[in-house]
């Protein structure tokens, strides 16, 4: 019997929809029901309470003040009538009516205001408690309260859910067919942008909403890039829509000068403004990972303006060095700020020298950072941060070469920037692009081109700069310390003035540090013999000038190979630095040279067995009257002396500015040393392992450091 005994605190069954246990006994259940009914009734009681108290109180007050005298009563009634009409108009104009329910709400509110003000006007003159004014209050007030109760029932429905009043956003959603999409909480930022929350119902996706941004832009009559939909990373059914309804950047963005000279590379670099007026700043050297940048855009889109802003800022900082390769229009783009660039390259041969020397510099910098106990470059290192900027990289380097540099450079503080019009697979390989984790994409001609430079998450959101050159300076930027939620916001780079930037770079000369010794040494002869040298605090005000060549030393023993004739590129580079008089004299020399060569008769035996023999070919046995002649081979020399002969040849080339050669060019020196080709190949391998020379992919070599100069 004890097991069957029920206590007074027995519980009612659990409501599966709310999982709330309601206790019974001691009035608990009755109290809960009463409380629930009161809570449900209170919203509906408010119109009745207002109708019961406000009209009689207001009518009594106005009748007491003005109802005794006919003149004052008439004037007060007239004023209240005019005011009531105005108030009714305000209610009509200010009530949203984007939906059918909104139109009903506007009509009901306007009618309620008109009726209330009409009754108050009558009560002022006739009194609120006389007939028929009192009757109108009782009947009209009840109808007024009941109508608002009906509105609440229709709005809330049986479940009591509250209405989401989206206003114009709800009308927009209905117009573009977002049947399973809810747009709510639309708010203006006050900076030309409206943002709202987007939520899709089961069966729909945010990706589908992103695909309709073009229709939204057309409905709102804004540019295609003015509508951005970004998903919520924590909830796949939610997102945010951003509508740019005003362009705050259309009048241009002024260049923002540095806050002070002598900053470190880790300070943010202001280069423009976002569409909402916030500063667009890059912070590559403070990021957890130094992200190389790909800059893309058609001619006239604003890439050069952006580059000038970036270089001008970095050229005023300590522990910063800039290398810039531009074979097309280097001086035209950055000539006025060239003194802030430590190595400005404008010819293909020097560009290849720079890029071939970078791997050795990367290795040397890695060794220094390891000795300093640093996993990656920071301002605490003795090394400078380095920017290597390459315009139209496909015309300068092989993909494998760029990929190696991009992959290895970031941890040693070398920031790589590649700028080109279209980053297609033919211009930049996918392996290179994978190592360019940051991007600045200016205007492109085709929407699909943006996908070569911007992440998929950005283009999927609708951030596609498909305006070509129509909006110079506008772009989207990712990486380099930029918060990810800003990647889909338009930016515009600052407009620069040549004289202002030139003065700024000149003022920064006393703060610029020269390139650190380990990096300069590792870059070798290519860096030491660079034609352009920027100014810094050790050489303030010294203009850039070509390096004078040093005469070659006398050849050792016998057989130093003569310098081969200059190539067309060499002649063209030299002519750029020659005066008119020197060019005229040079032309006379070439003319005399050609005249002498023209006087030499042709081979009298063009069909002889030896006619087609090359310098490296074996001489065939030829039966002639001189066939019995013999020559004494050079006396063999010791290994060190043989190497010295070879090294002297290489050093002579370095002193005259020649840094590229092929193995065949060393045959005379090898013969003078009494050695053969296998020995020479072994010595080349030995010099390569020592880092004094580098071998390219076509069998040629570049001299990094003369073997006769101390390291």
């Amino acid at each position: 019997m004890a097991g069957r005994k029920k206590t007074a605190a027995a519980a009612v069954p659990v409501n599966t929809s709310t999982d709330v246990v309601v206790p019974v006994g001691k009035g608990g259940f009755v109290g809960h029901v009463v409380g629930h009914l009161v809570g449900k009734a209170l919203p509906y009681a408010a119109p009745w309470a207002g109708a019961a108290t406000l009209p009689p109180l207001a009518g009594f007050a106005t009748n007491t003040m003005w109802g005794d005298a006919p003149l004052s009563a008439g004037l007060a009634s007239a004023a209240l009538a005019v005011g009531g009409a105005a108030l009714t108009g305000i209610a009509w104009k200010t009530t949203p009516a984007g939906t059918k329910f909104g139109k009903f709400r506007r009509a009901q509110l306007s009618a309620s205001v008109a009726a209330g003000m009409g009754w108050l006007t009558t009560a002022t003159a006739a009194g609120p408690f006389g007939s028929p004014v009192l009757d109108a209050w009782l009947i009209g007030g009840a109808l007024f309260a009941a109508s608002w109760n009906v509105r609440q029932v229709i709005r809330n429905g049986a479940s009591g859910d509250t209405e989401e009043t989206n206003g114009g956003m709800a009308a927009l959603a209905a117009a573009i067919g977002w049947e399973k999409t809810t747009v709510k909480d639309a708010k203006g930022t006050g900076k030309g942008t409206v943002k709202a929350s987007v939520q899709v119902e089961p069966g729909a996706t945010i990706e589908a909403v992103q695909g309709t941004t073009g229709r939204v832009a057309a409905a709102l009559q804004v540019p295609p890039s003015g509508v951005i939909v970004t998903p919520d990373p924590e909830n796949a059914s939610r997102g945010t829509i951003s509508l740019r309804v005003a362009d705050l950047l259309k009048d241009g963005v002024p260049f923002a000068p540095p806050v002070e000279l002598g900053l470190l590379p880790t300070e943010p670099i202001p280069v423009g403004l976002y569409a909402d007026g916030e500063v667009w700043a890059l912070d590559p050297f403070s990021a957890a990972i130094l992200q190389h940048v790909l800059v893309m855009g058609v001619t006239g889109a604003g890439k050069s303006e952006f580059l000038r802003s970036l270089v001008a800022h970095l050229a005023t900082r300590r522990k910063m060095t800039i290398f810039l390769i531009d074979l097309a229009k280097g001086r035209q783009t950055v000539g006025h700020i060239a003194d802030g660039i430590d190595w400005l390259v404008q010819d293909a041969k020097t560009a290849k020298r720079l890029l071939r020397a970078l791997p050795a510099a990367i290795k040397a910098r890695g060794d220094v950072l390891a000795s300093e106990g640093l996993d990656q470059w920071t301002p605490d290192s003795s090394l400078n941060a380095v920017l290597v900027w390459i315009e139209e990289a496909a015309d300068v380097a092989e993909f494998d070469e760029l990929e190696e540099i991009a992959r290895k450079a970031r941890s040693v503080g070398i920031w790589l920037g590649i700028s080109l019009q279209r980053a297609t697979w033919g211009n930049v390989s996918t392996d290179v692009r994978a190592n360019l984790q940051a991007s600045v994409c200016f205007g492109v001609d085709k929407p699909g081109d943006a996908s070569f430079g911007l992440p998929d998450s950005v283009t999927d959101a609708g951030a596609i700069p498909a305006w070509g050159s129509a909006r110079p300076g506008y772009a989207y930027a990712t990486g380099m310390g930029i918060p990810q939620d800003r990647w889909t916001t338009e930016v515009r780079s600052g407009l620069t003035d040549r004289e202002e930037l030139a003065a700024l770079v000149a003022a920064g000369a006393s703060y610029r540090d020269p390139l650190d010794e380990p990096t300069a040494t590792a870059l070798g002869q290519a860096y030491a013999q660079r034609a352009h040298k920027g100014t810094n605090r050790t050489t303030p005000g010294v203009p850039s000038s070509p390096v004078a060549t040093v005469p070659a030393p006398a050849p050792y023993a016998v057989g130093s190979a003569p310098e081969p004739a200059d190539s067309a590129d060499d002649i063209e580079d030299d002519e750029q630095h020659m005066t008119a008089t020197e060019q005229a004299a040079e032309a006379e020399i070439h003319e005399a040279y050609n005249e002498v060569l023209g006087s030499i008769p042709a081979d009298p035996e063009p069909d002889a067995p030896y006619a087609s023999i090359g310098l490296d070919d074996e001489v065939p046995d030829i039966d002639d009257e001189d066939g019995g002649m013999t020559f004494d081979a050079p006396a063999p020399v010791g290994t060190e002396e043989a190497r010295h002969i070879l090294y002297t040849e290489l050093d002579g080339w370095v002193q005259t500015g020649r840094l590229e050669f092929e193995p065949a060019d060393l045959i005379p020196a090898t013969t003078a040393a009494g050695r053969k080709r296998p020995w020479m190949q072994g010595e080349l391998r030995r010099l390569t392992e020592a880092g004094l020379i580098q071998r390219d992919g076509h069998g040629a070599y570049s001299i990094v450091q003369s073997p006769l100069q101390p390291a």
Side-chain angles (χ1 to χ4, degrees):
M1 295 298 292
R4 300 179 181 178
K5 185 177 180 180
K6 297 183 179 180
T7 63
V12 299
V14 175
N15 186 329
T16 56
S17 62
T18 59
D19 289 339
V20 176
V21 178
V22 183
V24 180
K26 298 185 179 180
F29 178 74
V30 176
H32 173 77
V33 172
V34 172
H36 177 75
L37 293 176
V38 170
K40 287 288 187 179
L42 280 178
Y44 296 93
W48 293 93
T53 57
L54 294 178
L57 291 177
F60 177 77
T62 55
N63 178 259
T64 302
M65 294 176 63
W66 300 301
D68 293 340
L71 179 61
S72 60
L75 293 175
S77 298
L80 287 173
V82 174
L87 189 61
T88 302
I90 293 174
W92 179 270
K93 287 292 185 181
T94 57
T95 303
T99 62
K100 293 181 178 180
F101 189 82
K103 294 178 181 179
F104 168 76
R105 176 179 52 195
R106 180 174 64 180
Q108 182 189 27
L109 179 62
S110 302
S112 299
V113 172
M117 291 302 298
W119 184 89
L120 182 62
T121 301
T122 304
T124 301
F129 303 116
S131 181
V133 177
L134 179 62
D135 301 331
W137 165 52
L138 294 175
I139 298 173
L143 292 175
F144 163 81
S147 70
W148 281 89
N149 286 165
V150 171
R151 174 183 176 275
Q152 286 174 298
V153 172
I154 296 174
R155 180 191 67 182
N156 297 336
S159 63
D161 295 336
T162 60
E163 173 193 17
E164 292 290 354
T165 57
N166 302 324
M169 295 301 297
L172 174 63
I176 61 177
W178 285 356
E179 293 84 359
K180 295 186 177 182
T181 303
T182 301
V183 182
K184 56 184 179 181
D185 301 330
K187 296 179 181 178
T189 63
K191 299 178 179 179
T193 303
V194 175
K195 292 187 176 182
S197 299
V198 178
Q199 184 162 1
V200 295
E201 298 178 3
T205 62
I206 292 296
E207 287 74 14
V209 177
Q210 289 178 327
T212 64
T213 54
R215 284 184 291 179
V216 178
L220 295 177
Q221 299 182 2
V222 299
S225 60
V227 180
I228 305 296
V229 177
T230 54
D232 186 336
E234 297 181 357
N235 190 331
S237 67
R238 295 179 180 176
T240 301
I241 183 171
S242 176
L243 309 175
R244 182 175 54 77
V245 296
D247 188 357
L248 305 182
L249 310 178
K250 63 180 180 180
D251 295 328
V253 174
F255 170 75
V259 293
E260 62 179 291
L261 301 178
L263 297 173
L264 288 170
T266 49
E267 293 294 328
I269 310 167
V271 290
L273 294 178
Y274 284 97
D276 57 9
E278 297 295 327
V279 175
W280 171 32
L282 312 180
D283 197 4
F285 291 103
S286 290
I289 298 177
L290 180 60
Q291 296 175 318
H292 304 313
V293 60
L294 171 64
V295 178
M296 196 177 75
V298 300
T299 300
K303 301 190 302 296
S304 297
E305 199 79 76
F306 168 75
L307 174 61
R308 284 191 284 265
S309 295
L310 182 63
V311 170
H313 273 278
L314 295 180
T316 65
R317 302 195 172 193
R318 298 181 289 124
K319 299 181 74 67
M320 187 73 222
T321 298
I322 303 172
F323 299 160
L324 194 148
I325 300 175
D326 190 348
L327 308 186
K329 51 178 183 177
R331 284 284 172 183
Q332 179 183 353
T333 302
V334 295
H336 53 297
I337 54 176
D339 280 345
I341 302 172
D342 191 44
W343 193 355
L344 176 59
V345 179
Q346 300 176 80
D347 65 277
K349 184 172 69 174
T350 307
K352 292 183 182 297
R353 288 180 178 180
L354 189 160
L355 296 177
R356 288 173 183 172
L358 275 179
I362 292 172
K363 182 179 183 303
R365 290 171 66 89
D367 293 340
V368 172
L369 292 174
S371 66
E372 294 174 342
L374 298 173
D375 293 330
Q376 61 182 21
W377 182 89
T378 71
D380 297 331
S381 172
S382 61
L383 304 175
N384 280 12
V386 178
L387 169 63
V388 178
W389 194 272
I390 308 174
E391 291 285 333
E392 298 299 336
D395 299 334
V396 177
E398 299 291 336
F399 290 161
D400 292 343
E401 192 173 43
L402 283 177
E403 193 273 334
E404 179 185 3
I405 294 171
R407 177 166 42 85
K408 296 180 179 179
R410 62 167 56 92
S411 64
V412 298
I414 296 179
W415 184 27
L416 179 64
I418 292 179
S419 175
L420 69 172
Q421 293 189 28
R422 295 178 72 237
T424 60
W425 63 269
N427 293 329
V428 178
S429 70
T430 54
D431 290 337
V432 175
R433 282 209 307 265
N435 285 282
L436 304 176
Q437 297 178 320
S439 60
V440 181
C441 189
F442 292 89
V444 295
D445 286 332
K446 299 178 181 179
D449 291 347
S451 62
F452 294 121
L454 293 172
D456 292 342
S457 61
V458 175
T459 55
D460 289 345
I464 301 176
W467 50 72
S469 59
R471 304 173 70 202
Y474 285 84
Y476 290 102
T478 68
M480 299 174 290
I482 300 174
Q484 191 165 353
D485 60 355
R486 304 293 276 169
W487 290 6
T488 55
T489 303
E490 279 184 6
V491 295
R492 189 173 189 182
S493 60
L495 299 173
T496 61
D497 178 79
R498 298 180 71 88
E499 294 182 358
E500 179 185 2
L501 293 192
L504 180 63
V505 170
S510 59
Y511 296 90
R512 287 193 292 272
D513 292 314
L515 182 61
D516 55 272
E517 188 61 31
T519 305
T521 300
L523 290 172
Q525 297 298 325
Y527 179 76
Q529 296 184 1
R530 68 196 188 281
H532 172 92
K533 295 184 178 181
T535 62
N536 53 58
R537 59 178 174 79
T538 62
T539 57
V542 178
S544 306
S545 60
V547 178
T549 58
V550 180
Y556 179 84
V558 295
S560 282
E563 181 70 25
D566 291 336
S567 65
D569 289 341
D570 296 334
I571 295 173
E572 182 180 355
D573 292 341
D574 293 339
E575 287 179 351
Q576 292 178 357
H577 304 293
M578 295 171 62
T579 64
T581 303
E582 291 173 335
Q583 291 181 4
E586 186 74 13
E588 292 179 3
I589 293 174
H590 280 294
E591 183 178 356
Y593 177 76
N594 293 332
E595 182 179 354
V596 172
L597 289 181
S599 64
I600 298 176
D603 190 346
E605 297 180 314
D607 298 329
Y610 58 79
S612 60
I613 297 176
L615 293 177
D616 297 334
D617 297 336
E618 296 291 338
V619 179
D621 294 333
I622 303 175
D623 295 333
D624 57 23
E625 58 185 9
D626 296 327
M629 295 179 61
T630 59
F631 298 91
D632 294 333
V637 297
T639 301
E640 293 302 322
E641 189 175 358
R643 286 175 176 169
H644 189 75
I645 294 174
L646 189 69
Y647 296 171
T648 300
E649 186 75 10
L650 294 173
D651 184 70
W653 292 344
V654 169
Q655 297 301 325
T656 57
R658 178 184 177 184
L659 300 182
E660 291 81 22
F661 68 92
E662 294 183 359
D665 299 334
L666 289 174
I667 289 179
T670 302
T671 303
R675 298 295 192 273
K676 296 184 178 181
R677 182 184 292 270
W679 176 85
M680 178 189 67
Q681 293 174 340
E683 288 301 310
L684 291 177
R685 188 180 304 109
R686 183 171 175 270
L687 293 173
T688 302
E689 293 174 352
L692 298 176
I693 63 175
Q694 288 181 339
R695 187 178 188 276
D696 65 16
H698 304 285
Y701 289 84
S702 299
I703 303 175
V704 177
Q705 190 77 38
S706 169
L708 293 186
Q709 292 184 5

